[in-house]
Amino acid sequence: MAQESGPVAGRYEVDIEEVEYLRHGDKPLLASIYKPRGPGPFPAVIEMHGGAWCMGDRKVNHPMNRPIASGGVVIAALDFRAPPDAGYPGSVADVNFGLRWLKANAARFNTRPEWVGSMGSSSGSHLAVLNAMKPVDPRYAAIKHPGVGSNADPAFVVAMWPVICPQGRYRYAKALFAEGKPIKVRTEQIRAQESYWGTDEVMGEGSPVLALQRGDKVKTPDILYIQNNIDELHPRENVEQFLAGYARAGGKVQMEWYDSPVYDGLRTQPESAEARRMVNKIVEFISRYAR
């Protein structure tokens, strides 16, 4: 272990353990557990990958997860159900259970239940925020298991370029496509959103932005919200709507804009100075909740 003081990425060596955290029928769902080597205890997060709710797996964000864990954070990177196994709200229920499971196993992974938060990127970040706002929704809290409690409230949320309004992003992508201006993976996103959500109406029901605008009863844990200044995949209008609505609901958001040639530079360019800067921001934020 290096001798840096304070929450700095690179401070700890990291071990990775593969664990089954949930099973649906004969299909296991795995978590990659990133464990800093040290006396601990450490703060912890469940982590959800992006992929328009339909693509990817728990290993997608490894280039970010390892350096964050090396700053002194236990990370449980989750697999969760996707179509055709389940659409909305199936994956939200998996996330809700995953958070409760990590709390129940806090001592095993060198953390404490009250230090467990949520983290995600893109659609995975949407899952983190939605569950954090509505942890007792009976659809999301539907999975029960002996020894796993009922408290799915995260201590905090790290939201990296979330699809914070699925309906807004869907309509935005459809409008661009209709104008002959599909950007990057717009067409793929449209198909994936339709597969996961089914209808435009359901996208609205599962939108954190619209939940705040409707005045739904929500919880408001502190959020670190991270987005690239040039991000074309996650509409800035939706970001501003969420920030305004969350503040009205009494929530606190630490907004961090970063600069990178690609919207997900933290993941795809992890060695860049900007990625390292943001990783340290994440570690510093999470460390506040382990005191």
Side-chain angles (χ1 to χ4, degrees):
M1 183 173 72
Q3 298 301 311
E4 297 99 335
S5 61
V8 179
R11 188 179 180 198
Y12 296 94
E13 296 295 325
V14 176
D15 296 314
I16 302 176
E17 177 184 357
E18 301 296 327
V19 177
E20 178 182 319
Y21 79 95
L22 179 60
R23 180 177 288 262
H24 291 285
D26 61 355
K27 186 170 184 177
L29 290 179
L30 302 182
S32 295
I33 312 295
Y34 294 73
K35 300 180 295 182
R37 294 181 193 170
F42 298 102
V45 295
I46 56 166
E47 189 273 332
M48 284 68 68
H49 62 85
W53 300 277
C54 296
M55 298 166 282
D57 61 25
R58 68 190 185 282
K59 299 180 180 180
V60 166
N61 286 336
H62 175 78
M64 297 188 298
N65 287 339
R66 181 178 280 279
I68 293 170
S70 76
V73 179
V74 175
I75 298 176
L78 304 182
D79 278 340
F80 43 83
R81 287 173 293 169
D85 293 335
Y88 174 81
S91 59
V92 195
D94 293 341
V95 167
N96 184 290
F97 180 84
L99 196 147
R100 291 184 279 125
W101 171 85
L102 185 55
K103 287 185 178 185
N105 289 275
R108 172 183 174 186
F109 298 119
N110 203 10
T111 185
R112 295 178 179 172
E114 65 271 22
W115 291 0
V116 176
S118 296
M119 182 170 74
S121 64
S122 195
S123 57
S125 191
H126 161 267
L127 299 177
V129 173
L130 181 60
N131 178 70
M133 290 173 61
K134 298 186 175 185
V136 296
D137 185 301
R139 299 166 301 168
Y140 307 159
I143 302 172
K144 312 296 182 184
H145 193 278
V148 175
S150 60
N151 185 348
D153 294 68
F156 55 84
V157 179
V158 177
M160 296 179 279
W161 52 96
V163 187
I164 203 65
C165 183
Q167 186 187 75
R169 206 274 288 273
Y170 178 73
R171 293 179 178 181
Y172 166 73
K174 290 271 286 186
L176 285 175
F177 186 80
E179 295 170 7
K181 300 177 182 177
I183 300 173
K184 296 180 181 178
V185 293
R186 295 282 183 219
T187 306
E188 187 177 19
Q189 287 176 346
I190 291 169
R191 289 197 301 265
Q193 286 204 220
E194 291 170 344
S195 175
Y196 178 78
W197 293 98
T199 69
D200 181 276
E201 180 182 9
V202 176
M203 293 180 205
E205 187 278 319
S207 165
V209 166
L210 297 182
L212 292 166
Q213 292 180 356
R214 289 189 300 262
D216 292 1
K217 185 177 180 180
V218 298
K219 296 191 176 184
T220 54
D222 292 353
I223 296 177
L224 174 61
Y225 197 124
I226 298 171
Q227 187 150 327
N228 192 328
N229 277 301
I230 64 166
D231 191 338
E232 295 179 319
L233 302 183
H234 305 87
R236 190 155 185 157
E237 176 185 11
N238 295 155
V239 180
E240 301 300 338
Q241 291 169 335
F242 179 77
L243 295 177
Y246 209 69
R248 286 194 299 270
K252 295 181 180 179
V253 179
Q254 177 181 329
M255 187 71 215
E256 295 287 346
W257 296 96
Y258 73 97
D259 295 301
S260 174
V262 290
Y263 79 95
D264 60 347
L266 273 70
R267 179 173 64 87
T268 56
Q269 299 178 344
E271 299 302 320
S272 70
E274 191 71 336
R276 292 196 301 271
R277 183 178 74 86
M278 295 313 301
V279 164
N280 281 331
K281 288 278 188 183
I282 292 169
V283 173
E284 289 166 5
F285 176 83
I286 292 174
S287 296
R288 298 175 197 166
Y289 301 89
R291 296 173 183 170

